[in-house]
Amino acid sequence: MRKRSRLVSLLGVIVVFVLSGLHGVAIAKRSDKPTRSRPTAAQCATNRGTNGKLREWAHSACKTDADCKAGKNGRCTQVYGGGRLPPTNECSYDGCFTDKDCGAGTACECGHSADATTAGEAHQCVAAECKVDADCGAGGFCSPSYSLCSRGRDVGKYYCHTPKDECMVDSDCPPPSEKGYGPTDVKCSFSAPTRRWVCMTEQCPVG
Amino acid sequence: MRSLLVAAIVLGAGAACKAPQLDDEARYATDPTFRRALLTETLLGESHYVKVRLQHYASGDALDWDRHDEWNPQRLDGPLETLGHDAFFRYPAQIAPEGASLTAIPFGVAVEVGGPRPLVALTCATCHTRRQADGSLTVGASNRDFDFGALLAASSNDPEFARTRRAWGPGKVDVSSRDGTEPVAIPDLRPVRYQTHLQYAGAVAQTRLVALALRIETLIITAHGGALRPPRKLTLALARYVWSLAPPLPQSSHRSSRGAAVFAQYCAGCHRGAERSGPPVFVERVGTDPTAARSSWRGTGKYRVPSLVGVGDRTPLLHDGSVEDLTGLLDPARSGGHAFTVGINDTDRAALREFLDAH
């Protein structure tokens, strides 16, 4: 009985040892640099293509670029609402061309499409804890992280990478499980509470 | 801390040379195998919501949420009896959208995490506590004044994202779909104790108190992108606290009234027993908007049956908040589904209303 008791105690110690080493994600090898960073300050294009004349959806603010005069490089753009919301046309304007156009704690995120035949995304000032890689120290990187339940281009904020980071790029993160539960989007994103870049699943409204 | 807790239990078991008899709450706090079993016991259907949790919670997966360190920046602690209230009003359940100020977040908190500025965060109370006109608080009630969609829209540089979120309006939020097109009413937490199932589509069976604790834990984990987890003592305390918000069960003396007879005829088929709740019902039978029930994100094809205990004090009603209150629900001219009482006469309607208002 005493031998068995010792054995169980020893197993307990082993369990504790194993569990204590399991925090965090096991990344085989973290990439050396992120996919996107800011080696130099933003210098966004001043020319912007046009979407031409758009179908006139209900509740639209514009039909052509000529209707968009409230800002710089105004373009009439079709906006999808998703679900049961019908599309609508809204004006989009460039909010900046360089970081200097943006206020403290923000940086200019360049938009526009490479395709000059469309208006593309507007340049916008976005929140930023850094504006160029040098703000993050020697050899550092300043990269965009995605915002709450965001899609596509939507950038939440620029943050510095840190030595504590779990990942640099999305591909550093483990692939979806092979257990058949279905795909889960995993992105290398900045976790504001823990102040480091980690492999994150979805981040949607609490509920 | 978790490891030490497990160590104490395992070593204690070794000394006694037999497995300790732990209750649900202790096993939830210390045993990942129990938590995994609890998860699989309570998740229903094959929606995205279910798959994500099966994949990442106590699964051994490379992104296993169970292995994260606890995050408790407010250092909330104390007896379970008081910790639940504290956590409800002070634990950062979700970081607020970029640019949102504390003044825009009811019952929000500022959290120091070492960044250039404190993080602004939502608490449970942000969505689930209503400030009445006289200044008093109704804890657990849905906060119909809180417009989370507007905050999200203001934080985004994506016009489509902004448009869908603005469309939610105050008191509604889409907690399921990625494109924000499935908003539902912020639920009233007061009747949760009496629910057999959680969430509007009933994707989680509330088999016991720890099922709610686990639900709250995964809710907070996913709100933070799976990057951290709350202390389990805290989620247990929150579950207990939410259960404590329940109104008292009805007295048996009401059951012989005319209203009780009307209730038995028209309502009790679904709203059963003293709790006046029951298993979920197929959306075709309910007849309300099917979006949430059929959602691939979290749908089950059904809607849960809300407890009617205290329903006279609840607003809005139905999953989409499409009915203002009990008066609206019993309005014979109303359309939009859940039409089970539409055909009853005025006398019976008044009796039913009196019956439901009484408890």
Side-chain angles (χ1 to χ4, degrees):
Chain A
M1 182 65 102
R2 183 169 285 177
K3 272 186 178 177
R4 191 177 163 198
S5 176
R6 280 191 195 137
L7 182 62
V8 174
S9 296
L10 182 62
L11 283 173
V13 172
I14 293 170
V15 167
V16 172
F17 178 77
V18 170
L19 285 176
S20 62
L22 285 181
H23 293 299
V25 175
I27 300 294
K29 186 177 183 305
R30 198 179 71 185
S31 298
D32 294 332
K33 59 181 182 180
T35 309
R36 287 186 62 192
S37 72
R38 295 170 71 101
T40 57
Q43 185 68 54
C44 306
T46 52
N47 297 330
R48 190 178 185 189
T50 177
N51 295 317
K53 186 177 179 182
L54 300 178
R55 175 175 168 180
E56 198 168 10
W57 298 100
H59 310 297
S60 287
C62 57
K63 190 159 64 176
T64 69
D65 295 345
D67 299 327
C68 302
K69 297 174 180 171
K72 295 171 182 170
N73 277 343
R75 297 291 184 271
C76 189
T77 302
Q78 181 172 292
V79 174
Y80 295 94
R84 289 169 294 177
L85 290 175
T88 183
N89 299 334
E90 294 181 10
C91 292
S92 90
Y93 302 96
D94 283 333
C96 56
F97 296 95
T98 70
D99 290 340
K100 290 177 182 171
D101 297 331
C102 301
T106 62
C108 190
E109 168 79 0
C110 295
H112 294 193
S113 169
D115 178 359
T117 62
T118 61
E121 308 282 0
H123 310 321
Q124 297 286 347
C125 295
V126 299
E129 289 189 6
C130 52
K131 297 189 181 187
V132 291
D133 290 347
D135 293 343
C136 304
F141 296 105
C142 176
S143 296
S145 186
Y146 296 95
S147 60
L148 199 67
C149 241
S150 64
R151 307 171 302 165
R153 171 179 179 256
D154 192 35
V155 169
K157 194 169 182 177
Y158 278 87
Y159 297 95
C160 287
H161 280 273
T162 79
K164 300 181 299 178
D165 289 353
E166 201 170 74
C167 54
M168 277 279 189
V169 297
D170 293 348
S171 59
D172 285 344
C173 299
S177 162
E178 295 177 355
K179 293 181 181 175
Y181 299 131
T184 303
D185 282 349
V186 178
K187 290 177 178 172
C188 184
S189 308
F190 188 80
S191 164
T194 57
R195 300 289 306 163
R196 65 187 193 128
W197 292 76
V198 296
C199 296
M200 289 170 65
T201 50
E202 53 193 353
Q203 187 180 18
C204 292
V206 64
Chain B
M1 179 63 86
R2 189 267 308 266
S3 299
L4 290 174
L5 197 53
V6 174
I9 289 164
V10 174
L11 293 174
C17 200
K18 65 176 185 179
Q21 295 298 310
L22 298 174
D23 64 16
D24 272 2
E25 294 190 6
R27 295 188 71 192
Y28 166 72
T30 60
D31 182 355
T33 306
F34 176 81
R35 289 194 291 274
R36 179 68 184 181
L38 183 63
L39 182 82
T40 55
E41 163 192 306
T42 54
L43 291 179
L44 305 174
E46 297 181 337
S47 64
H48 177 80
Y49 175 91
V50 169
K51 289 175 179 174
V52 168
R53 279 148 188 79
L54 287 176
Q55 184 166 329
H56 295 305
Y57 188 85
S59 63
D61 179 87
L63 281 178
D64 193 342
W65 300 334
D66 209 50
R67 296 174 184 168
H68 287 312
D69 290 322
E70 293 177 345
W71 190 57
N72 188 7
Q74 313 281 67
R75 295 182 173 80
L76 300 171
D77 202 353
L80 288 177
E81 290 69 25
T82 55
L83 179 59
H85 175 275
D86 290 349
F88 195 86
F89 283 91
R90 292 179 55 207
Y91 188 79
Q94 175 154 53
I95 305 305
E98 185 62 41
S101 72
L102 202 53
T103 54
I105 315 283
F107 309 104
V109 289
V111 187
E112 289 286 355
V113 293
R117 289 187 305 277
L119 291 178
V120 175
L122 285 68
T123 62
C124 300
T126 299
C127 291
H128 301 288
T129 293
R130 185 178 305 164
R131 192 179 295 279
Q132 305 291 4
D134 64 2
S136 63
L137 302 181
T138 305
V139 180
S142 61
N143 185 357
R144 301 184 65 183
D145 298 326
F146 181 50
D147 193 343
F148 193 33
L151 288 179
L152 285 168
S155 76
S156 177
N157 53 23
D158 180 333
E160 291 173 27
F161 179 96
R163 185 167 178 238
T164 48
R165 273 61 181 181
R166 271 197 305 268
W168 296 350
K172 289 188 178 184
V173 61
D174 182 350
V175 295
S176 299
S177 81
R178 199 166 293 152
D179 59 8
T181 57
E182 299 176 4
V184 292
I186 294 171
D188 192 319
L189 298 186
R190 290 173 293 174
V192 160
R193 181 178 192 149
Y194 303 138
Q195 301 290 152
T196 62
H197 291 70
L198 304 172
Q199 305 180 6
Y200 285 117
V204 178
Q206 187 178 222
T207 52
R208 38 193 162 159
L209 177 76
V210 288
L212 178 60
L214 178 60
R215 153 80 174 125
I216 293 170
E217 183 187 346
T218 59
L219 173 156
I220 293 172
I221 290 172
T222 52
H224 290 290
L228 52 86
R229 67 175 178 82
R232 294 199 175 90
K233 180 179 180 183
L234 196 143
T235 52
L236 268 173
L238 277 169
R240 284 192 183 191
Y241 182 65
V242 169
W243 270 25
S244 78
L245 301 174
L249 287 173
Q251 301 297 308
S252 57
S253 57
H254 292 287
R255 291 180 186 160
S256 57
S257 66
R258 169 113 184 141
V262 178
F263 183 85
Q265 183 176 354
Y266 292 99
C267 312
C270 297
H271 300 277
R272 303 171 188 169
E275 293 84 3
R276 295 182 186 151
S277 180
V281 175
F282 281 106
V283 62
E284 293 82 2
R285 173 96 175 102
V286 183
T288 50
D289 181 283
T291 305
R294 293 179 183 156
S295 164
S296 62
W297 295 99
R298 185 179 302 223
T300 59
K302 301 176 181 178
Y303 280 125
R304 72 175 178 191
V305 175
S307 169
L308 296 188
V309 177
V311 69
D313 186 32
R314 223 179 292 159
T315 177
L317 301 179
L318 301 183
H319 75 279
D320 53 2
S322 57
V323 173
E324 178 63 20
D325 54 18
L326 197 51
T327 301
L329 192 79
L330 297 176
D331 183 347
R334 184 178 65 81
S335 60
H338 197 279
F340 304 106
T341 54
V342 166
I344 64 177
N345 63 45
D346 290 348
T347 305
D348 284 349
R349 183 175 301 106
L352 178 61
R353 174 65 197 255
E354 185 181 356
F355 175 79
L356 290 170
D357 275 341
H359 25 263

